[in-house]
Amino acid sequence: MKKLLLLLSLTATVTLGKAQTTAGPAETKLTNALCDCITKLDKSKLNSAKEAKQAFMDCFTNQADLFPDVAAERHVEFTDHEAMNKIGTDIGVNLMKQKCDGFIQLAIKMAQKGGANSDESEEVETKTSTGVFKRVDNKGFNYIVISSEGSEKSYLWLKQFAGSEAFMEGTTRLAGKKLKITWQEIEVYLPAAKGYYKVKEIIGVDAL
């Protein structure tokens, strides 16, 4: 069902393509119910793609009892994911064809960075920290350590990031340099500690 939601929202960002067969009564009822629910949303309160997606999912969930009727009307099994995805695509096209303004407005919000066509784990918040480079610690993974406001802070070097080449060729010339580290918080399993812990994964490093 998650795929179906994504297909519905994605139809707002593409052309209508090939016309589908005329919608039956059950499909029309579902399309109208979705449009009505989406149109009534106070979109001024939706400040991110994540909130827009959640609002759409809430509307969809409220009409979920209509989907078995649509499946029966199309002569497909409700458990046939491919067929249900096709229905989801067609309903998205229906919403566009009937010029459902609420859906179009919501789709624009969902198409923002980290919108409907991104992974569910999208929209990870990134932050920045500045400090003086101290060293690279190796604790199974490399950690870049900076000194900031009288204390040392470590950032996980998990994969290639913008600026990582500077640390692969020796760090002597970086000693005492002020760095800006862009990072995101992730949860990883640390075998030595036998548990999951939140760490700051490096996204990029810039010398200041």
Side-chain angles (χ1 to χ4, degrees):
M1 199 61 71
K2 191 179 296 182
K3 271 188 172 183
L4 180 57
L5 291 173
L6 294 175
L7 283 168
L8 272 166
S9 59
L10 281 172
T11 55
T13 62
V14 298
T15 56
L16 294 179
K18 296 179 180 179
Q20 83 263 34
T21 56
T22 303
E27 187 174 327
T28 299
K29 182 178 180 181
L30 174 56
T31 301
N32 291 339
L34 277 171
C35 181
D36 184 58
C37 179
I38 294 169
T39 300
K40 290 178 180 177
L41 293 172
D42 186 351
K43 298 167 193 64
S44 65
K45 294 182 179 180
L46 303 176
N47 299 314
S48 67
K50 183 177 181 180
E51 291 180 3
K53 283 192 294 179
Q54 185 58 55
F56 176 82
M57 291 174 70
D58 290 343
C59 278
F60 175 82
T61 301
N62 290 340
Q63 319 305 328
D65 59 323
L66 299 178
F67 259 86
D69 293 339
V70 178
E73 185 174 76
R74 289 284 193 98
H75 304 293
V76 299
E77 294 294 329
F78 187 64
T79 54
D80 185 337
H81 297 301
E82 184 176 348
M84 293 306 293
N85 283 342
K86 176 62 168 62
I87 291 174
T89 301
D90 289 346
I91 290 173
V93 173
N94 292 342
L95 288 165
M96 292 292 289
K97 281 188 170 182
Q98 74 177 41
K99 295 181 174 60
C100 179
D101 289 339
F103 176 69
I104 295 171
Q105 293 170 24
L106 192 64
I108 291 171
K109 286 182 176 288
M110 289 192 290
Q112 293 171 355
K113 185 177 180 181
N117 59 339
S118 62
D119 186 82
E120 290 294 311
S121 62
E122 73 294 3
E123 294 192 22
V124 176
E125 182 182 5
T126 59
K127 298 181 180 181
T128 60
S129 299
T130 57
V132 176
F133 174 72
K134 301 295 291 184
R135 62 186 180 277
V136 175
D137 286 341
N138 189 314
K139 300 177 182 178
F141 290 102
N142 283 341
Y143 290 81
I144 293 178
V145 182
I146 62 173
S147 176
S148 177
E149 298 179 350
S151 64
E152 292 188 349
K153 299 178 181 179
S154 298
Y155 301 84
L156 174 64
W157 178 354
L158 183 63
K159 54 193 176 188
Q160 185 177 16
F161 58 83
S164 60
E165 293 80 6
F167 297 89
M168 296 171 64
E169 302 169 355
T171 58
T172 303
R173 63 188 181 84
L174 293 172
K177 295 280 188 179
K178 190 172 184 180
L179 305 177
K180 180 178 78 172
I181 298 179
T182 303
W183 54 273
Q184 64 182 7
E185 190 173 70
I186 62 172
E187 191 172 74
V188 297
Y189 180 73
L190 300 178
K194 297 181 179 180
Y196 288 92
Y197 292 86
K198 290 183 178 180
V199 296
K200 299 170 181 177
E201 181 196 0
I202 299 171
I203 303 297
V205 176
D206 295 298
L208 301 178

